Amino acid sequence: MKKIRAIVITGNGTNCETEAAHACRLGGFDEAVIAHIAEILSGEVRLDDFHFLNLTGGFLDGDDLGSAKAQANRLKHAGVAGTGEKLVEQFTRFIGAGKLILGVCNGFQLMVKMGMLPGFDGDFLTQRTTLTFNDCGRFQDRWVYLKTDAASPSVFTTGIEQGIYLPMRHGEGKFLCDSPATLERIEREHLAVLKYSGPDYEAATMEFPLNPNGAQNAIAGLCDPTGRLMGLMPHPEAFVHYTQHPRWTREELPEEGDGLKLYRNAAEYVRKNLV
Amino acid sequence: MAHRIEVALKESVRDARGERIKREIEHFLHLAVDEVRTIDVYTVDAALTPEELQQAAAGPFSDPVIQEWSIERPLAAGFDFAVEVGFRPGVTDNVGRTAREAVEYLTGRPFVSGEGVYYSVQYLLKGAFEVADVEQIATGLLCNTLIQRYSVLSAADFMAKRGFAPTVPKVLAEAKAEVREIDLNVSDGELLRISKEGVLALTLEEMRIIQAHYRDTQVVAERATVGLGANPTDVELECLAQTWSEHCKHKIFSGTVQYEDEEGNKQEIKSLFKSFIQRTTRDVRAKLGDKDFCLSVFKDNAGVIKFNDQQSLVFKVETHNSPSALDPYGGALTGIVGVNRDPFGTGQGAKLIFNTDVFCFADPFYEKALPARLLHPRRIYEGVVEGVEHGGNKSGIPTVNGSLVFDERFAGKPLVFCGTAGIMPSEINGQPSHEKSIKPGDLIVMTGGRIGKDGIHGATFSSEELNENSPVTAVQIGDPITQKRMFDFLIRARDKALYRFITDNGAGGLSSSVGEMAGECGGCRMDLAKAPLKYPGLNPWEIIISEAQERMSLAVPPERIDEFLTMAKRFGVEATVLGEFTDNGVFHILYDDRTVAWLPMAFMHEGLPPLQLPAKWEPPRHAEPAVEVKGDYSGDLAALLGALNICSKESVVRRYDHEVQGGSVVKPFSGVANDGPSDAAVVRPILESFEGVVTAHGICPRYSDIDTYHMTANAIDEALRNYVAVGGSLDLVAGLDNFCWCDPVLSEKTPDGPYKMAQLVRSNQALYDICMAYNLPLISGKDSMKNDFYDGSTKISIPPTLLFSVIGKIEDARKAVTMDVKRPGDIVYLLGKTGDELGGSEYFALKGAIGNKVPLVDTGRAYRRYQAYHQAVTQRLVASCHDLSDGGLAVAAAESAFAGGYGMSMELSRVLWKGDMAGKSDATLLFSESASRHLVTVHPEQREEFENIMSGNCFAAIGVVTPEPVLAIVGLNGAAVVRAGLAELKEAWQKTLREL
């Protein structure tokens, strides 16, 4: 059987590459390669050789110009050595080939600021939404309940009935749209895959700390209309085993954490559709 | 010419940064504010076309969804005063650096020398302010004038002047490279003046030793052969001052102490470090025999122990007190990214797996007057917390354990302890990873950031007390991203064996890092003109001692240098060959081929005779307060829970990423609502395995007011009992000692030196005694010995403080135990005995007293009990366990109960007592801080097994977990002495620091 391959991009302040690669392997990928951006820009590693791209958490360029802004600029303008092509062309080719991208936290910020999400009408390079400073004005590390939209096209959340419980760790996670029309279309097309909610996963909430950042419509995760591109502020790679749960010493929990489902779904999709 | 690009939030978008400033102005300066809005300002001093400027403004500098931008036109509107704050020339400007890189990507054209982007923030204040109010806001909150500049405009002036003019904080200095010679054939008074005015921190005796060296005819003759005269150059004198500074040389710990105890017994101690710290490790290792797990102790940047057969653990804890006093944000940020370089620069280099932070501050609500130059404790608190937050979070290292400790005397100097652990394969490229060497001919390579005037005299300055003239240049600002890039590159270079030796550039800069490396092979030859500079105009002496951050020094074999440099370039990391290592016994420094320093290694490293230090111990006597007898202590308990040293630190801890890297098993918070205070941290550094690393610490400076011997004993015991509580194994656990002391050297300004020195001796005695009993080898540590403030009239000395950190292992992290009670019906046990030991307790502090009966540690009993308890954990017999420390049994019980969401009922008559029965009372049983105790809950069905394992140890079942959310404690006479709802206790515990 052909191998299914995941890539995790690191460098310039990305921090979660090890656990993201671990989650990909646990989820069923035969290979999960951690590639430094320098290795991609030098042409040593090509996105074309992979099926699933992970843009994961961290502080790209220190979030100095606003989270992920400098990396979005770099990806759009930097060229790949020896190829004459810009890196952004590898990205659009990857998307065009029907492959999967998951952006987590800083990776979600990057996708949004590059314009990969919400990706209306096949346009992956126009920014329509943003993620900005939490209403509380502070970085927060806490666990959140995320209600899933069962009608969402996201391939990552297939089979998750009510919701998932994950840690969030960010200072800039407040989701905002450029216009009411964008927000309305996101909701209409069920692109807001995950929303902050109470422990019963019943209703979305704006209440702190359940909604830790004041995101519009409590949106924590977003996908494109194909469902193959998704970003979320909380960290699914940080809950793949029960010992990562904050209350594992007092609750009966299954071996696998809630976040692993996203990687299992990704692997399954790739196996079915891309190899 | 310079262009101003302004970026503002659209009017409809909430300005969280502005709102925070508004809150701080109101809370902190007690001024009414209508609104604060903020604008980012990029001053672009580069030749860009108008189109390129627009692309930069619309592209990387702004977010089209929420922001608008302008070029050469102010955006501000609807305010009363505008304050613009930017950096002073030469101060690290991380946002400016990223902005510059973004423009370079955009245009595809690198900046030429002298071009740059500078970042500042404009604050728009709305409210009925006087000019003086705005000045106060600017200097009291928005701007630290040591490193930042600000300008203020009223709305009218702003209109008239069309806003702020562009300011380019470029360092303007002529390219010069002066080397001065200093004539040391002068009087003693003149020698001292040279030391003082040059911030050399050398004593008269040390200056005389240097004077004698340069009078030696053989030295003079040898110097002539390299073209140097008989006088030292400024480069040489500065290098000696760095190498010989208290900060680098630890003169107090290596001095000879004449110690006299309270009975007049005299003892000469040659080096506290050798006599106690090194001896502890040597003797513990001998005792452990073939179970010894130490791999590298004291000789490297951090200690190394075995984790398993394939992996080694590295740990170091540092302090960054003096810089944090001057610039809390920058000082603390540098503290954390600085200590990151220690494990990274240990052995062949380690991957960093967690940080720990302990901060000691004065009360943030302090309301009395403070001496000039001292920042308000609240500003220090805010700045330090934020600096370490940024440094740790941005570096991608989880902050897993820490404390905040409060005492008024920390107003004189805050203590900022930052620790970092790492992991490395036990063998790299076939060599033990904890070993490294240098061969003559290896190249001296510096990687990472460039050299500037930042951090000049950091090492010598922190070897003196803080005063009004403390130098501005001593402050550095860290840059976690430049460092992260360097680490990403170096860890890959390590695995390809591209270097032979690595160490960090910290205090003392190149003089210290290359000086120490030269000691490995016996010499070096380095040309300072090759060093990359942030801006021109640095003299050679400044280049060699600058503490500019984010740099590592390496020894690269000549045959690997091309590959090393090519790879560095690809990863965007600057790497420069500065010279080579030799074996000629000389620290030989050139500038453009001209010799500027020629120092025999032997003189540099061994030329200093030990300090002579008098020490006399006279136990202090404090008033012995009568313990109040009353029927209900619920109010005292609530007050204790709200005390600064006990209350919840959640508002701070949540700002630190404690879960990145995915290995967290026991987090800082436990319990039904994720908010109970965990005793220690457990992490899995290797995600494919369930072996866990456990870390914890102990710190109790209050006991120093009674006896530093017992302060130390209790700190060590606290660290170990925290560690044991979560399930740490006693077979593999090591300690780190961090001494923060006030100046103990007898002098005019320190007439009580002998007492403070005796406190240090006693602390060391306890360190040896307790670590021996607990089989705790010391693997690394640090001392910071001048934590005083003195402005000529007011002196504030910190209480002698030992931070004791431990690192060890839990074989199976899935057996870890947390502190929250788990279910009603569980039996509550108290392990250990309680005594009349309220001296130095939080309970007495609440009543304004100190007392004398400090807790005494019974190591023999404690160690056996810890071992038995660990066996119970291994057999999964423990439902919860919480250590008893500040506030004693009552506080521990309240915390375990409200964390678990179930009540607890217990009887004080069942608590085991030690010592004089006369002191036994409800208050002592509730609040005494007797050492080595744990509060444990066990499921009833496991009672027998648990009691079997614990048999032969002091422990007692004292109560039960109850379904009703109430803490109910029955006193000795059978009546309730505490009865309080958990919600109310938790609220008391949470409210104190919630809003900070």
Side-chain angles (χ1 to χ4, degrees):
Chain A
M1 200 162 57
K2 216 176 151 197
K3 282 191 171 173
I4 60 170
R5 307 184 76 205
I7 181 170
V8 186
I9 299 184
T10 185
N12 293 317
T14 290
N15 293 333
C16 302
E17 63 272 16
T18 310
E19 59 268 39
H22 176 69
C24 289
R25 283 182 213 111
L26 278 185
F29 283 87
D30 300 308
E31 254 187 274
V33 172
I34 296 172
H36 194 279
I37 185 83
E39 294 165 324
I40 297 174
L41 291 173
S42 70
E44 274 173 88
V45 177
R46 295 182 335 138
L47 296 186
D48 306 272
D49 298 331
F50 297 88
H51 305 105
F52 175 34
L53 168 61
N54 286 265
L55 300 169
T56 191
F59 283 81
L60 284 163
D61 303 278
D63 281 358
D64 285 338
L65 306 176
S67 57
K69 284 290 293 179
Q71 177 88 335
N73 179 65
R74 185 183 287 118
L75 295 187
K76 280 190 175 177
H77 297 283
V80 178
T83 63
E85 74 173 352
K86 295 221 167 185
L87 182 53
V88 69
E89 295 169 52
Q90 283 198 17
F91 272 88
T92 43
R93 195 160 63 234
F94 190 89
I95 296 169
K99 296 176 174 179
L100 305 186
I101 305 182
L102 181 65
V104 172
C105 195
N106 205 207
F108 181 27
Q109 293 163 337
L110 177 63
M111 290 180 83
V112 151
K113 290 178 185 188
M114 281 188 78
M116 276 193 254
L117 288 173
F120 290 158
D121 311 315
D123 174 2
F124 298 103
L125 292 172
T126 302
Q127 185 180 348
R128 293 175 201 281
T129 62
T130 198
L131 291 155
T132 187
F133 292 98
N134 300 346
D135 274 351
C136 65
R138 301 254 195 239
F139 181 99
Q140 290 285 298
D141 178 334
R142 50 175 80 247
W143 283 60
V144 287
Y145 297 94
L146 301 157
K147 165 185 159 55
T148 43
D149 183 344
S152 144
S154 168
V155 307
F156 296 94
T157 51
T158 309
I160 299 174
E161 290 189 355
Q162 285 190 294
I164 48 177
Y165 186 51
L166 294 178
M168 56 71 70
R169 315 188 302 253
H170 60 247
E172 297 181 46
K174 181 182 178 180
F175 180 81
L176 290 175
C177 293
D178 62 352
S179 68
T182 300
L183 183 60
E184 201 270 330
R185 184 165 171 191
I186 285 171
E187 294 288 13
R188 192 177 64 235
E189 297 185 15
H190 299 280
L191 306 183
V193 194
L194 300 169
K195 292 189 173 184
Y196 300 108
S197 76
D200 54 7
Y201 303 115
E202 283 293 318
T205 180
M206 295 302 288
E207 195 187 321
F208 182 87
L210 291 173
N211 174 340
N213 50 41
Q216 218 166 31
N217 286 15
I219 293 173
L222 185 69
C223 69
D224 82 318
T226 72
R228 293 183 288 103
L229 272 52
M230 177 174 159
L232 71 164
M233 285 313 299
H235 288 265
E237 81 288 352
F239 186 31
V240 298
H241 187 262
Y242 73 85
T243 55
Q244 294 164 317
H245 190 288
R247 297 185 299 276
W248 70 268
T249 59
R250 56 184 298 119
E251 291 179 8
E252 289 293 324
L253 298 166
E255 183 83 8
E256 291 188 357
D258 286 1
L260 188 56
K261 185 76 181 156
L262 275 66
Y263 298 89
R264 285 208 184 285
N265 279 333
E268 201 169 311
Y269 180 90
V270 169
R271 229 178 257 295
K272 263 193 199 150
N273 299 285
L274 296 174
V275 292
Chain B
M1 85 162 241
H3 308 279
R4 267 178 76 96
I5 298 178
E6 293 193 1
V7 178
L9 289 167
K10 290 178 182 170
E11 208 163 303
S12 58
V13 178
R14 196 170 158 179
D15 186 341
R17 177 171 56 181
E19 286 171 18
R20 184 175 147 198
I21 298 289
K22 176 177 187 285
R23 276 197 306 273
E24 287 182 3
I25 295 172
E26 289 166 344
H27 278 266
F28 193 46
L29 301 174
H30 310 296
L31 291 166
V33 194
D34 294 339
E35 191 186 27
V36 180
R37 304 236 352 142
T38 60
I39 289 177
D40 293 312
V41 181
Y42 300 91
T43 304
V44 183
D45 186 23
L48 298 185
T49 65
E51 294 71 39
E52 286 169 342
L53 278 175
Q54 286 186 20
Q55 283 171 3
F61 290 5
S62 70
D63 182 330
V65 176
I66 49 168
Q67 290 172 324
E68 55 187 358
W69 53 268
S70 73
I71 298 171
E72 329 289 12
R73 178 177 58 83
L75 288 174
F79 61 93
D80 295 301
F81 280 92
V83 182
E84 195 164 295
V85 178
F87 289 111
R88 287 181 180 278
V91 176
T92 302
D93 178 354
N94 289 325
V95 178
R97 187 219 53 231
T98 302
R100 168 205 170 124
E101 285 178 8
V103 173
E104 289 173 332
Y105 272 111
L106 197 65
T107 61
R109 205 169 65 233
F111 275 33
V112 301
S113 166
E115 290 186 328
V117 181
Y118 304 91
Y119 176 66
S120 36
V121 181
Q122 203 177 96
Y123 299 90
L124 303 170
L125 311 174
K126 209 166 163 178
F129 298 113
E130 301 293 328
V131 176
D133 296 336
V134 180
E135 283 287 327
Q136 196 195 348
I137 293 170
T139 56
L141 257 184
L142 304 178
C143 173
N144 182 345
T145 53
L146 267 180
I147 53 161
Q148 291 167 310
R149 58 179 170 81
Y150 70 96
S151 24
V152 176
L153 287 177
S154 67
D157 288 344
F158 191 95
M159 291 310 155
K161 293 182 177 167
R162 305 203 59 227
F164 293 96
T167 309
V168 177
K170 185 153 69 180
V171 178
L172 294 172
E174 293 163 41
K176 58 179 177 183
E178 273 178 16
V179 178
R180 287 181 309 121
E181 289 189 4
I182 293 105
D183 184 1
L184 293 188
N185 286 310
V186 293
S187 67
D188 286 355
E190 193 63 9
L191 285 178
L192 269 179
R193 191 192 60 79
I194 292 169
S195 170
K196 181 123 188 114
E197 289 184 2
V199 201
L200 300 178
L202 292 166
T203 63
L204 178 60
E205 201 197 351
E206 289 159 354
M207 288 300 285
R208 280 187 184 146
I209 292 167
I210 298 173
Q211 186 185 49
H213 173 76
Y214 285 91
R215 282 175 176 166
D216 184 323
T217 51
Q218 200 189 330
V219 169
V220 174
E222 283 177 5
R223 292 174 65 78
T225 64
V226 290
L228 286 177
N231 287 329
T233 65
D234 53 6
V235 181
E236 292 172 326
L237 207 51
E238 291 283 353
C239 283
L240 288 171
Q242 300 307 311
T243 312
W244 291 3
S245 68
E246 175 55 43
H247 191 93
C248 295
K249 191 87 185 170
H250 310 287
K251 287 181 282 197
I252 293 169
F253 262 86
S254 51
T256 300
V257 186
Q258 305 297 336
Y259 176 66
E260 185 181 336
D261 71 12
E262 69 270 37
E263 282 156 9
N265 301 313
K266 291 182 182 163
Q267 186 188 356
E268 181 179 89
I269 302 161
K270 283 192 171 143
S271 171
L272 288 171
F273 177 67
K274 286 186 182 151
S275 310
F276 293 104
I277 299 176
Q278 270 192 334
R279 184 165 65 101
T280 299
T281 305
R282 193 192 61 213
D283 291 359
V284 171
R285 291 183 73 177
K287 200 171 144 199
L288 289 171
D290 59 4
K291 289 185 179 153
D292 175 27
F293 47 83
C294 296
L295 295 174
S296 168
V297 289
F298 303 122
K299 62 183 181 197
D300 211 330
N301 291 311
V304 187
I305 58 171
K306 186 175 151 173
F307 181 52
N308 56 33
D309 289 338
Q310 291 82 38
Q311 302 283 337
S312 306
L313 288 175
V314 188
F315 196 20
K316 175 65 174 275
V317 181
E318 268 276 16
T319 48
H320 223 231
N321 309 333
S322 300
S324 303
L326 292 179
D327 172 23
Y329 176 82
L333 172 59
T334 308
I336 186 70
V337 296
V339 77
N340 287 171
R341 289 193 301 274
D342 280 320
F344 196 89
T346 294
Q348 292 176 36
K351 176 185 184 281
L352 308 180
I353 55 170
F354 64 75
N355 288 333
T356 61
D357 305 314
V358 175
F359 307 142
C360 300
F361 298 136
D363 184 347
F365 309 108
Y366 194 85
E367 284 190 334
K368 288 179 271 184
L370 281 164
R373 193 65 180 264
L374 283 186
L375 295 174
H376 190 276
R378 168 79 180 261
R379 274 194 82 184
I380 294 192
Y381 178 108
E382 297 279 352
V384 167
V385 167
E386 186 165 83
V388 178
E389 172 196 328
H390 287 177
N393 289 355
K394 290 186 177 180
S395 303
I397 304 162
T399 300
V400 300
N401 188 244
S403 277
L404 290 175
V405 179
F406 295 92
D407 185 296
E408 248 183 43
R409 289 165 285 182
F410 293 120
K413 235 185 219 183
L415 303 183
V416 177
F417 299 91
C418 296
T420 303
I423 194 164
M424 57 189 178
S426 12
E427 278 195 4
I428 296 174
N429 303 311
Q431 301 291 321
S433 60
H434 56 275
E435 289 172 5
K436 54 189 170 188
S437 63
I438 296 179
K439 290 191 177 152
D442 283 354
L443 300 169
I444 303 170
V445 177
M446 185 184 98
T447 63
R450 295 184 149 223
I451 297 176
K453 293 199 184 204
D454 31 351
I456 283 177
H457 287 146
T460 51
F461 149 68
S462 58
S463 305
E464 295 192 312
E465 88 279 348
L466 194 59
N467 62 52
E468 281 192 339
N469 303 317
S470 299
V472 178
T473 52
V475 175
Q476 320 105 3
I477 293 188
D479 172 2
I481 296 308
T482 295
Q483 180 152 305
K484 173 98 180 153
R485 276 186 194 160
M486 173 172 70
F487 286 177
D488 282 348
F489 155 60
L490 286 174
I491 203 106
R492 288 165 172 84
R494 176 195 79 175
D495 293 339
K496 292 179 179 228
L498 296 186
Y499 57 79
R500 219 189 312 264
F501 195 102
I502 181 169
T503 195
D504 89 303
N505 267 295
L510 288 172
S511 78
S512 170
S513 68
V514 177
E516 282 171 25
M517 287 168 84
E520 291 283 322
C521 61
C524 72
R525 194 181 145 89
M526 172 164 72
D527 190 342
L528 297 174
K530 297 194 167 124
L533 305 182
K534 293 182 178 178
Y535 35 80
L538 267 70
N539 285 313
W541 73 265
E542 293 174 307
I543 297 172
I544 201 166
I545 68 163
S546 162
E547 295 175 12
Q549 293 292 295
E550 290 78 47
R551 294 182 292 146
M552 304 292 287
S553 291
L554 300 105
V556 178
E559 64 274 16
R560 307 313 303 266
I561 191 68
D562 289 344
E563 197 181 339
F564 184 93
L565 294 178
T566 309
M567 189 172 168
K569 191 162 187 220
R570 203 149 45 87
F571 278 76
V573 176
E574 192 154 24
T576 315
V577 178
L578 300 180
E580 61 182 15
F581 291 98
T582 64
D583 55 3
N584 67 0
V586 180
F587 185 70
H588 188 177
I589 305 302
L590 302 106
Y591 189 90
D592 259 346
D593 298 331
R594 178 164 70 103
T595 295
V596 296
W598 191 90
L599 290 166
M601 300 288 302
F603 177 62
M604 223 176 143
H605 291 294
E606 287 135 46
L608 205 58
L611 279 183
Q612 296 295 321
L613 300 156
K616 188 166 189 333
W617 175 242
E618 286 165 282
R621 294 300 305 170
H622 301 284
E624 190 60 48
V627 179
E628 209 179 346
V629 178
K630 47 188 180 182
D632 185 359
Y633 292 93
S634 306
D636 280 351
L637 173 57
L640 270 179
L641 286 167
L644 281 169
N645 281 324
I646 294 175
C647 71
S648 171
K649 313 298 187 296
E650 186 166 356
S651 59
V652 171
V653 177
R654 291 263 175 230
R655 293 168 62 182
Y656 292 78
D657 188 331
H658 49 259
E659 297 176 272
V660 62
Q661 300 190 8
S664 94
V665 174
V666 174
K667 302 178 201 294
F669 297 107
S670 303
V672 65
N674 304 342
D675 58 7
S678 298
D679 289 337
V682 180
V683 299
R684 287 188 300 134
I686 298 162
L687 297 174
E688 289 78 14
S689 153
F690 289 104
E691 284 173 301
V693 180
V694 184
T695 189
H697 69 273
I699 183 168
C700 37
R702 275 177 297 105
Y703 298 147
S704 291
D705 290 333
I706 300 173
D707 188 343
T708 50
Y709 183 95
H710 300 296
M711 178 277 285
T712 302
N714 279 286
I716 300 168
D717 183 67
E718 183 184 11
L720 193 66
R721 72 179 183 261
N722 277 322
Y723 168 90
V724 164
V726 299
S729 159
L730 291 159
D731 293 334
L732 199 158
V733 54
L736 284 84
D737 56 283
N738 280 81
F739 286 88
C740 280
W741 234 249
C742 35
D743 185 2
V745 182
L746 175 64
S747 71
E748 241 170 75
K749 55 190 180 193
T750 312
D752 55 351
Y755 174 70
K756 289 170 170 169
M757 195 62 216
Q759 287 184 303
L760 186 63
V761 171
R762 291 187 62 75
S763 177
N764 275 276
Q765 289 170 334
L767 191 69
Y768 180 83
D769 296 347
I770 309 296
C771 288
M772 273 301 282
Y774 283 165
N775 289 331
L776 269 172
L778 300 166
I779 56 166
S780 185
K782 199 72 192 262
D783 59 279
S784 164
M785 302 303 295
K786 308 271 175 163
N787 293 294
D788 307 85
F789 171 84
Y790 186 54
D791 63 2
S793 57
T794 308
K795 181 161 186 175
I796 308 176
S797 295
I798 65 149
T801 303
L802 174 80
L803 170 67
F804 197 83
S805 309
V806 295
I807 183 167
K809 184 173 178 178
I810 179 168
E811 288 293 339
D812 185 347
R814 291 168 292 192
K815 294 181 177 173
V817 174
T818 55
M819 50 71 65
D820 47 315
V821 300
K822 299 297 187 298
R823 66 184 197 211
D826 284 358
I827 302 151
V828 179
Y829 291 93
L830 181 57
L831 316 188
K833 287 185 176 178
T834 304
D836 179 11
E837 297 180 318
L838 280 168
S841 67
E842 279 292 326
Y843 185 68
F844 272 2
L846 192 69
K847 311 282 174 193
I850 296 171
N852 301 288
K853 296 171 194 161
V854 66
L856 307 181
V857 181
D858 180 346
T859 50
R861 282 202 171 85
Y863 195 65
R864 280 196 303 280
R865 195 163 61 240
Y866 292 168
Q867 284 175 309
Y869 167 81
H870 183 69
Q871 206 189 330
V873 171
T874 307
Q875 297 188 22
R876 298 183 192 267
L877 301 176
V878 177
S880 79
C881 177
H882 194 22
D883 114 283
L884 271 66
S885 58
D886 295 0
L889 172 63
V891 164
E895 288 176 346
S896 286
F898 62 61
Y902 297 114
M904 209 185 258
S905 81
M906 53 176 70
E907 290 169 36
L908 294 180
S909 61
R910 290 157 72 178
V911 172
L912 298 182
W913 184 256
K914 66 172 181 181
D916 189 359
M917 293 303 287
K920 187 171 176 179
S921 69
D922 291 333
T924 46
L925 287 162
L926 287 169
F927 304 120
S928 174
E929 296 175 6
S930 296
S932 317
R933 296 177 301 161
H934 288 110
L935 190 69
V936 167
T937 62
V938 172
H939 298 324
E941 60 272 24
Q942 292 176 315
R943 171 177 203 147
E944 204 181 317
E945 261 185 288
F946 178 77
E947 292 188 355
N948 281 342
I949 285 178
M950 293 304 297
S951 71
N953 290 287
C954 314
F955 76 105
I958 62 167
V960 66
V961 178
T962 58
E964 50 291 305
V966 168
L967 178 66
I969 303 177
V970 172
L972 290 172
N973 68 1
V977 287
V978 171
R979 189 169 172 84
L982 296 188
E984 149 203 352
L985 292 173
K986 190 165 168 177
E987 176 60 19
W989 181 69
Q990 289 185 328
K991 71 170 186 245
T992 310
L993 292 175
R994 184 185 279 144
E995 301 302 327
L996 286 201

